[in-house]
Amino acid sequence: GMYYGTLLLLGYDTGYDKKIYRFADFNAGRYSSRNAAFQKVISELLKQPVATDGDLLIYKADGDVALTMSGTEKALANLVQKYALGLKEWEIRRDLLQEKHLYFNSTVTYKTVIALYRKVKNATPPYAMVPVITLSSEKTSNILTTQKFANSVNNRYQRCLSQN
């Protein structure tokens, strides 16, 4: 369990500058922290709310991607139209299908949106943020969030590092 858990937590490239994002991904899904930051970038460019939950697409119960457009996908379509970015809906969907992989960073959609943010905002876009997810369970009365989970694990991680 320890080996598998460590591999699941640390055994993939992310590009994150802080471990807390890995801890959040453990709770929310691989690359959810990068994806949440991408959603934030879209939201800021459109000046309208976009969920920052780290899921760029909608998933069915069996884990397959639903054909229904997600809020993020719709926001991207609006962004493409607003700024005349020239991306087609099928290109956006193709690229969003890479959301669970590091390769998403290399897609035309990701690169175009990040370049637009740099141009419009004259700033470096965030690469990662802890996804905003509230977890509910019949087993607990406490309000659980990905932020609380990631902070808890990060605090333990920092305590372990400080004892060496």
Side-chain angles (χ1 to χ4, degrees):
M2 181 95 149
Y3 174 77
Y4 178 73
T6 303
L7 186 60
L8 187 63
L9 185 62
L10 303 174
Y12 64 105
D13 292 330
T14 63
Y16 298 150
D17 61 348
K18 297 178 183 153
K19 290 281 192 262
I20 193 168
Y21 302 124
R22 282 187 181 273
F23 306 146
D25 282 4
F26 187 82
N27 182 258
R30 281 196 177 177
Y31 301 104
S32 290
S33 296
R34 179 215 41 212
N35 296 346
F38 184 68
Q39 291 169 313
K40 182 176 175 65
V41 164
I42 295 166
S43 176
E44 288 183 18
L45 288 168
L46 282 176
K47 297 180 181 150
Q48 69 183 43
V50 175
T52 53
D53 60 4
D55 270 333
L56 305 181
L57 296 169
I58 296 173
Y59 290 87
K60 298 187 276 187
D62 64 5
D64 287 342
V65 175
L67 294 176
T68 307
M69 285 180 76
S70 68
T72 300
E73 195 170 6
K74 290 175 186 172
L76 268 170
N78 291 340
L79 190 71
V80 165
Q81 184 177 2
K82 178 178 179 178
Y83 290 97
L85 299 176
L87 293 171
K88 308 230 180 319
E89 282 185 19
W90 67 265
E91 291 175 303
I92 294 169
R93 173 55 72 118
R94 175 201 62 202
D95 293 349
L96 293 181
L97 286 168
Q98 300 301 315
E99 75 167 307
K100 305 289 185 196
H101 306 281
L102 185 61
Y103 178 75
F104 179 66
N105 296 10
S106 301
T107 65
V108 173
T109 300
Y110 183 85
K111 288 180 175 181
T112 300
V113 171
I114 296 305
L116 177 65
Y117 185 94
R118 284 190 173 105
K119 180 180 174 185
V120 170
K121 299 287 188 177
N122 196 26
T124 302
Y127 178 71
M129 66 175 272
V130 174
V132 178
I133 301 172
T134 301
L135 311 165
S136 61
S137 171
E138 296 172 358
K139 297 177 185 177
T140 181
S141 60
N142 295 338
I143 295 174
L144 302 172
T145 66
T146 298
Q147 182 73 52
K148 283 183 182 180
F149 174 84
N151 284 337
S152 173
V153 175
N154 192 51
N155 289 339
R156 279 181 272 171
Y157 174 75
Q158 295 301 328
R159 280 195 306 271
C160 287
L161 287 180
S162 68
Q163 297 196 8
N164 288 334

